[in-house]
Amino acid sequence: MIYCIEDDNGIRDLIVYTLTASGFEAKGFADSTEFWSAVKEETPNLILLDIMLPNEDGISILKKIRSDNRTADIPVIMETAKETEYDKVVALDLGADDYLTKPFGMMEMVSRVRAVLRRSLKEDKKQDLKLNDLKIDTAKHIVYANGEEINLTLKEYDLLKLFMENIGRAFTRDQLLSCVWGTEYVGETRTVDVHIGTLRTKLGKCGDYIKTVRGVGYRMEDKL
């Protein structure tokens, strides 16, 4: 099931029609009130979310989606306007999986939906990741360090997961930006340093597994 939150009736109806014609189940909602009521009844597999909405905007809805354990792992594709570059950056930082810039074609939309769902399916099939006292339960999206559950932001989680899937590999800051924030992200590599710093702090002693590679970037080693 795919949920589309879009206040323009014509666009919403066209999206739902195209998704249905492409073999998906889809429902459309004009605002957040209708959407949240539907989520209580059925959890969707993917959400198409417009940023410009009445009453509650898409950024606010995305924050709530990512902060609720029931919905945190649902893939979200944002619909953004051409001139709102800042909104794209904020949405990606908050955990949006992709975005579509209006006006967009229906075939492009279907292609993006399929790509995000494929990535999500691969994610679900992956096994837990473990390094001594550090563990990621990938199914539940939970991190444990020294036996304690650690509360990470989505980007911190994605960074840690990338490192634990590639122990011993050195990543440049640009590579980390591309892998975690996406190739469309417009920002400075300082963002990586800030997130690495907070990640290390939250992991406590296990944070020492993340090593700084002078002149390159970072890597995770299997020894403290």
Side-chain angles (χ1 to χ4, degrees):
M1 175 62 71
I2 297 174
Y3 285 172
C4 171
I5 307 96
E6 165 65 65
D7 64 320
D8 186 300
N9 294 337
I11 295 176
R12 185 177 66 252
D13 289 346
L14 181 57
I15 288 174
V16 171
Y17 172 81
T18 303
L19 289 171
T20 303
S22 300
F24 298 103
E25 287 186 86
K27 292 181 181 178
F29 308 96
D31 56 39
S32 61
T33 302
E34 295 180 2
F35 165 72
W36 290 119
S37 295
V39 169
K40 291 179 182 178
E41 300 297 324
E42 181 180 9
T43 303
N45 302 106
L46 183 141
I47 299 168
L48 280 163
L49 175 60
D50 189 21
I51 286 184
M52 301 299 292
L53 292 168
N55 302 323
E56 184 177 18
D57 64 40
I59 295 297
S60 175
I61 296 172
L62 178 62
K63 288 180 181 178
K64 291 181 180 179
I65 289 171
R66 290 295 178 243
S67 64
D68 189 328
N69 287 335
R70 296 173 306 155
T71 58
D73 294 329
I74 299 174
V76 177
I77 299 177
M78 304 296 292
E79 298 173 31
T80 69
K82 258 184 182 176
E83 65 274 10
T84 53
E85 188 70 30
Y86 175 75
D87 286 339
K88 296 174 187 175
V89 174
V90 171
L92 290 170
D93 272 345
L94 289 173
D97 295 87
D98 201 353
Y99 66 84
L100 287 160
T101 302
K102 291 182 175 180
F104 52 84
M106 290 298 103
M107 290 305 99
E108 178 191 3
M109 182 266 295
V110 171
S111 177
R112 296 288 187 95
V113 165
R114 284 177 174 155
V116 171
L117 286 174
R118 280 197 301 269
R119 291 201 299 268
S120 176
L121 184 60
K122 289 179 181 178
E123 191 80 12
D124 290 342
K125 290 181 178 179
K126 289 183 178 177
Q127 301 295 316
D128 291 347
L129 300 169
K130 193 173 187 301
L131 175 60
N132 300 325
D133 294 328
L134 184 59
K135 176 186 174 182
I136 299 180
D137 184 330
T138 57
K140 296 181 179 179
H141 214 270
I142 298 175
V143 174
Y144 299 94
N146 298 309
E148 295 184 4
E149 182 177 333
I150 308 299
N151 184 26
L152 300 181
T153 66
L154 184 67
K155 294 305 180 188
E156 290 166 353
Y157 175 90
D158 288 344
L159 273 171
L160 179 61
K161 185 168 175 293
L162 180 65
F163 282 132
M164 291 186 69
E165 289 173 339
N166 298 275
I167 293 175
R169 174 183 171 183
F171 289 91
T172 67
R173 290 170 175 81
D174 286 331
Q175 287 174 328
L176 291 172
L177 273 177
S178 178
C179 291
V180 175
W181 279 264
T183 55
E184 302 292 338
Y185 178 76
V186 180
E188 299 180 355
T189 54
R190 175 63 181 162
T191 299
V192 173
D193 298 326
V194 172
H195 280 75
I196 293 289
T198 57
L199 178 58
R200 282 170 166 165
T201 299
K202 290 182 179 181
L203 294 178
K205 186 177 179 181
C206 289
D208 292 339
Y209 288 123
I210 303 173
K211 310 293 185 182
T212 300
V213 183
R214 192 178 299 276
V216 180
Y218 301 94
R219 71 164 169 255
M220 175 166 275
E221 297 181 359
D222 57 4
K223 294 180 181 179
L224 294 174

